[in-house]
Amino acid sequence: AVLNANRGFSFQLIFLNAPVTSTYDLGGPVENLRQAYYCKRVSKGWAFICSPGPWTAYIEKPDRTVEKLRTYDEKPSLSALSKEVREESFKRYAIFNDRYAPGFGGRI
């Protein structure tokens, strides 16, 4: 993160499980802060980034494995990424990818 650019210096700052990165979206509320590693559970999958790489959406399959669904050049909104993963999951697996219902995903 570039901090205090007006003074002509920059440095990297590492947050581990810090509340500064907790919001109901992808990433944190600090404008010029980008997480080095970020993994967030979304409906039927995961949002992930490993900097300097792209944001990636993963879909959970009924056998508990994950598959890369899509990468994003720009940070997507949480709602857009979640909707895309959820719709693709339903398209591929219908109700058989529900991890909370016995017999419909084999997880419970």
Side-chain angles (χ1 to χ4, degrees):
V2 175
L3 301 174
N4 205 346
N6 294 333
R7 294 190 181 189
F9 63 91
S10 65
F11 56 92
Q12 293 184 346
L13 187 59
I14 298 173
F15 295 102
L16 297 174
N17 300 325
V20 72
T21 62
S22 297
T23 63
Y24 189 73
D25 201 357
L26 297 177
V30 179
E31 188 174 316
N32 291 322
L33 179 71
R34 179 175 170 145
Q35 289 84 359
Y37 297 98
Y38 187 84
C39 188
K40 183 174 186 108
R41 177 88 169 99
V42 297
S43 180
K44 309 297 184 194
W46 296 88
F48 178 75
I49 189 168
C50 177
S51 290
W55 284 91
T56 307
Y58 286 90
I59 188 169
E60 273 191 11
K61 301 192 303 188
D63 64 358
R64 300 183 197 178
T65 61
V66 294
E67 176 185 333
K68 185 189 292 186
L69 180 62
R70 178 178 175 196
T71 58
Y72 300 85
D73 293 329
E74 298 290 324
K75 181 173 86 169
S77 70
L78 175 62
S79 60
L81 185 142
S82 183
K83 180 179 179 185
E84 188 171 353
V85 171
R86 187 176 54 254
E87 287 177 353
E88 185 64 26
S89 175
F90 189 74
K91 194 183 318 178
R92 290 184 189 187
Y93 309 114
I95 62 170
F96 299 105
N97 198 21
D98 190 345
R99 65 190 188 108
Y100 298 109
F104 292 109
R107 294 199 179 192
I108 297 177

